[in-house]
Amino acid sequence: MSPSPDTAVPTVAELEAQERRLVFRRFTNDDAWALGSLLVELARERQAPVAVDIHRAGQQLFHAALPGSTPDNDAWIARKRRVVERYGSASYLVGSRFRAKGTTFEESSRLDADTYAAHGGSFPITVADVGVIGSVTVSGLPQVEDHRLVVEALERFLGE
């Protein structure tokens, strides 16, 4: 019996396809508010104890800490966001690429684990014909669930 789509771990190819598909035409401060609010709404429906963050060009445009989240979630957000900023790819995809090579991000990236975390939950905000301009990040659930929550919100927001 194969795993259900809700429990299956996405492949590198599936993660790369998400990034190619989930691209904005533009991304404004109002878009950050709307996307962040959508993420909060989805998290509340699930009673998920998460923190949500949206950054663009070094500026925090949105942040929310839902009941059950902790200051540690903010630290995880910062570490995952730095991976997106450095690699231009989702934090989960970066970690998955290392795992696909038979190693881990922590073992092989040569980056400080207190500063960078290639765990699921941070996704690049990519604008067509511009590139990666920021990130949307969730922390508080197991890493694949953090990633899926962000992807679900992006799909809804972009009308996918």
Side-chain angles (χ1 to χ4, degrees):
M1 179 177 196
S2 64
S4 75
D6 292 334
T7 60
V9 174
T11 66
V12 168
E14 290 167 335
L15 295 167
E16 290 171 343
Q18 289 172 349
E19 287 192 4
R20 286 191 300 274
R21 190 169 43 84
L22 299 172
V23 175
F24 292 81
R25 286 189 294 277
R26 61 175 176 69
F27 192 80
T28 66
N29 289 25
D30 289 337
D31 292 326
W33 177 262
L35 177 58
S37 297
L38 174 59
L39 266 164
V40 167
E41 179 184 323
L42 293 172
R44 285 188 193 277
E45 287 173 4
R46 295 165 170 88
Q47 298 180 334
V50 299
V52 177
D53 179 89
I54 299 176
H55 264 72
R56 182 190 62 208
Q59 182 182 22
Q60 185 177 52
L61 301 180
F62 184 94
H63 184 83
L66 276 63
S69 65
T70 70
D72 280 345
N73 296 120
D74 292 330
W76 274 98
I77 282 171
R79 292 168 59 218
K80 293 190 277 189
R81 184 185 74 244
R82 285 186 199 106
V83 168
V84 173
E85 291 168 352
R86 184 170 185 115
Y87 289 87
S89 291
S91 54
Y92 192 64
L93 172 56
V94 172
S96 294
R97 285 176 173 154
F98 279 93
R99 288 187 294 278
K101 293 177 183 174
T103 186
T104 67
F105 177 82
E106 295 77 12
E107 291 170 354
S108 298
S109 72
R110 302 179 74 188
L111 296 172
D112 182 2
D114 290 335
T115 305
Y116 296 90
H119 292 258
S122 192
F123 201 93
I125 296 171
T126 304
V127 174
D129 300 322
V130 175
V132 176
I133 58 139
S135 61
V136 52
T137 310
V138 168
S139 176
L141 302 170
Q143 67 171 329
V144 72
E145 291 177 41
D146 277 347
H147 177 81
R148 283 198 180 108
L149 183 58
V150 171
V151 168
E152 180 182 345
L154 287 168
E155 288 171 342
R156 288 189 188 195
F157 188 84
L158 292 168
E160 295 273 325

